[in-house]
Amino acid sequence: MKIKATDLDPTDRIIVLSFDEVHTRRDISYDSTTDSIIGPHSKVEVGLARGLFQDFKIPIYYRFHRKGQGLGPDELKEIISNLQNEGYHVVAIVCDNAKSNQKLMEDLGVTEENPFFKNPSKPGDIFWFYDPCHILKLIRSWLIDDGFKLPGLILNLE
């Protein structure tokens, strides 16, 4: 990220962070560099830095999913501060509506009325967005499961 920043104009260093879970094969592995057993894990949390005005997407974070423990506010603020110390400017977070992301949002004080939190290392705010693709998938699933109900009319998509 630091090397890439030297090739970018200030506007091109404005980024959005996106976080999501990736499903993996539930397996146990041996890590010879740390002489340790890893797993079994079925999910990995992944974070990407994405250019808002410049077309790039760079993985910046991953961690095997720990039940009940998503990304915490202090960890997120550290990621943001580290990126901004390298010359980038984080303006938004994009994620799905998973329980762990809802908790993170709540811990940061983000609400419907105030969809942002204070930038930890620069003046200004960082805005919070739910991924529109995930929202559309949730709506689709809800319509398939429950149908569309209006007083006097029930439309079921089965």
Side-chain angles (χ1 to χ4, degrees):
M1 292 291 295
K2 186 176 191 173
I3 294 168
K4 182 155 185 69
T6 60
D7 296 334
L8 298 173
D9 294 329
T11 301
D12 294 336
R13 286 185 259 142
I14 298 173
I15 60 174
V16 173
L17 302 183
S18 61
F19 292 92
D20 202 359
E21 290 179 342
V22 177
H23 293 273
T24 60
R25 186 176 64 171
R26 189 170 173 81
D27 202 354
I28 297 175
S29 301
Y30 173 70
D31 183 354
S32 60
T33 58
T34 61
D35 191 32
S36 62
I37 302 293
I38 299 173
H41 299 287
S42 60
K43 296 179 187 174
V44 175
E45 297 175 59
V46 179
L48 300 173
R50 305 174 71 126
L52 187 59
F53 298 104
Q54 177 75 19
D55 187 23
F56 66 87
K57 181 172 29 175
I58 300 172
I60 56 160
Y61 170 87
Y62 83 94
R63 180 178 65 199
F64 288 108
H65 184 74
R66 298 175 291 182
K67 189 166 180 105
Q69 290 185 326
L71 183 65
D74 292 337
E75 194 173 13
L76 177 62
K77 288 176 182 179
E78 181 181 355
I79 291 168
I80 292 167
S81 295
N82 289 341
L83 287 166
Q84 293 182 150
N85 289 340
E86 298 300 334
Y88 294 91
H89 183 66
V90 178
V91 295
I93 305 291
V94 177
C95 62
D96 64 9
N97 200 16
K99 293 276 187 209
S100 58
N101 294 331
Q102 290 178 29
K103 176 157 180 17
L104 177 58
M105 184 180 90
E106 182 182 309
D107 291 345
L108 291 167
V110 175
T111 64
E112 287 183 26
E113 295 79 23
N114 296 307
F116 51 83
F117 62 97
K118 185 169 175 39
N119 191 317
S121 60
K122 284 189 174 189
D125 297 317
I126 296 175
F127 287 83
W128 189 280
F129 296 98
Y130 285 123
D131 181 3
C133 295
H134 281 93
I135 292 170
L136 290 172
K137 283 172 34 181
L138 289 172
I139 292 170
R140 180 211 58 197
S141 297
W142 176 75
L143 285 171
I144 290 170
D145 291 345
D146 295 334
F148 187 72
K149 300 172 186 172
L150 291 173
L153 173 69
I154 297 177
L155 174 62
N156 198 329
L157 300 177
E158 291 181 20

